[in-house]
Amino acid sequence: MSLHVDVSTTRSARRLASELIKQAERQVRFGAWRQARVRYSGAVAADPSPASLIAFAQFLADRDECDEAITLLEQAWEHACRTSHPDTRAVCCGNLAIIHRRQGNLALARQFRQLSIAAEMESPRFLSEAVLSSAQLCESAALLSDEGDHEAALHQLHAAGAAAQRDRE
């Protein structure tokens, strides 16, 4: 028995989800939280891909709905693990680290930060450039600062500044 996937339906679902996410982002800019939530939810229903899940999770995290955001990010992360997408794993884990840090769970934040860095290092982009993103370095600095290692945090921030400068060039 073979599995048949209708590519045109998949593309249509992705286009619909993308449009719903754009609409949701516009709603957020106007402070229409309820309408934004409906559109993000619709995007996930239309296309439960990591991109839709991550977009909705980031919205929820910004609204302090962390438990639901964590659930969506974990779903996106599991999908990225199954399909071998290190960049998506890095984004999911990075967002999970940020949420857990906000909630004061530094041990989990540190674990997800390490998973994010490991995933980013598996990325084809990392293999060609051999550098971590400035966002990774900033989040590492925040964790080090939370742990009281201010000197190491300062070094990470300097590295993040250099990475950001490099990215602009």
Side-chain angles (χ1 to χ4, degrees):
M1 179 174 162
S2 67
L3 179 65
H4 174 71
V5 176
D6 186 347
V7 176
S8 64
T9 303
T10 302
R11 282 190 202 129
S12 295
R14 286 203 177 118
R15 277 194 300 271
L16 173 61
S18 177
E19 183 56 35
L20 287 168
I21 289 169
K22 288 176 188 172
Q23 290 175 11
E25 290 168 347
R26 279 194 297 275
Q27 296 295 326
V28 167
R29 283 193 297 273
F30 294 118
W33 312 117
R34 182 195 247 122
Q35 293 91 335
R37 182 184 180 89
V38 167
R39 283 173 177 74
Y40 278 119
S41 182
V44 169
D47 178 34
S49 67
S52 298
L53 293 166
I54 291 167
F56 192 15
Q58 288 173 331
F59 166 78
L60 293 169
D62 289 344
R63 306 280 305 139
D64 290 325
E65 297 179 43
C66 294
D67 291 338
E68 193 174 353
I70 288 170
T71 299
L72 293 174
L73 286 168
E74 287 174 345
Q75 289 173 13
W77 178 48
E78 289 166 2
H79 182 273
C81 288
R82 283 192 312 273
T83 57
S84 299
H85 285 96
D87 290 325
T88 304
R89 284 194 342 257
V91 169
C92 292
C93 291
N95 280 301
L96 285 163
I98 290 167
I99 293 170
H100 286 297
R101 186 170 148 259
R102 278 187 206 160
Q103 292 182 320
N105 191 338
L106 297 183
L108 262 180
R110 194 175 316 100
Q111 288 175 349
F112 279 110
R113 176 59 42 214
Q114 299 226 339
L115 287 169
S116 181
I117 291 169
E120 192 168 303
M121 291 174 72
E122 289 176 30
S123 155
R125 183 181 41 79
F126 180 84
L127 295 175
S128 67
E129 298 172 14
V131 292
L132 290 175
S133 67
S134 58
Q136 289 284 14
L137 295 166
C138 284
E139 185 58 27
S140 293
L143 284 170
L144 288 167
S145 178
D146 288 346
E147 295 169 352
D149 192 347
H150 301 293
E151 185 176 340
L154 188 58
H155 287 290
Q156 290 287 337
L157 285 175
H158 286 298
Q165 179 66 32
R166 178 199 65 235
D167 292 342
R168 280 192 296 271
E169 295 173 352

